Amino acid sequence: MKKRIKDTAVRLLFPARCPGCDSLLSVAEEPGIFCESCRKEIIPIKGRVCFHCGKPIESRLSDLCRDCEMQEGANASEKSVIKPVACRSQDAAPCNGVLQGRGAFVYTGPMKTAMYRFKYSGRRCYARPLARAAVSLYGPWLSSLKADAIIPVPMFKEKERDRGYNQAEVFATELSKLISVPVFSDVLTRTRNTRPQKGLDRENRRKNLKKAFKIKESSVKFECVIIVDDIYTTGTTINEVSAALKEAFGCRVFSFCVCIGVD
Ligand SMILES: [Zn+2]
Ligand SMILES: [Zn+2]
């Protein structure tokens, strides 16, 4: 009884908002994360996904998305080895060693506005419902990794100070509570204020982030980490972070993002 009164008081004082349209959720809508009309437009990533990056691949015959297939082809011709699909394993990393990545939602419709507000309009309160939704979709996958650390993609310190928070870290913290894997936010630093990746092609994205991440604290040891970010597009950011982590710790690296962009 007391708990119910407390819950109602909390709800009245801090009414939940729909991350999709920012409207206050009605009591009937509240157990869900999005309002009824946004729920119709949100695309949770379920079903067949790319083995490596987690993009939905419903209509493809391959077990990889087009991007990862191209990447794998390039790597294979470099090494003159073509790995047959049947032999694909978690050791077959296409890029700088991210074994597998997954994401909860397609970056489209209300998720685009949700991510914008989460990032730029101070709506850090979205982190909890987004983490709950992510775990309801990918909880078993996240637990199966048996990771010993979650590492959010760091922001450049001055930029984070201006914004007041790093959305990847806020999301990682909520995710950590749900899957009981600790967050390490101080292991990695962003060495310079890189240009936004948006609008850059793959090559320039890579140049833009080259050596942009550095290990700050190397007294810790990790065997398996999950890099966490808000949006996955081409994987350049995740791959740069992964390269730094692998070089320092020789650990296995996975990634998890709130959203994945599909073309
Ligand atoms: Zn809504
Ligand atoms: Zn892929």
Side-chain angles (χ1 to χ4, degrees), residues 109-165:
M111 275 323 291
K112 275 196 171 176
T113 34
M115 288 296 101
Y116 184 88
R117 289 198 200 93
F118 184 38
K119 225 165 153 164
Y120 302 111
S121 305
R123 287 280 187 247
R124 53 191 296 169
C125 59
Y126 291 170
R128 188 173 299 174
L130 289 172
R132 276 202 340 247
V135 169
S136 75
L137 290 160
Y138 282 94
W141 180 79
L142 288 160
S143 301
S144 76
L145 306 178
K146 308 219 177 317
D148 40 31
I150 295 179
I151 299 194
V153 171
M155 280 174 75
F156 187 57
K157 272 295 159 219
E158 276 170 29
K159 211 164 171 181
E160 184 176 339
R161 218 173 297 135
D162 289 347
R163 190 174 296 174
Y165 60 97

Side-chain angles (χ1 to χ4, degrees), residues 49-57 63-69 94 101-102 232:
V49 297
C50 170
F51 181 84
H52 283 313
C53 74
K55 281 184 191 167
I57 49 164
D63 64 347
L64 296 182
C65 72
R66 206 178 301 274
D67 279 351
C68 290
E69 206 164 58
R102 294 293 179 259
Y232 178 99

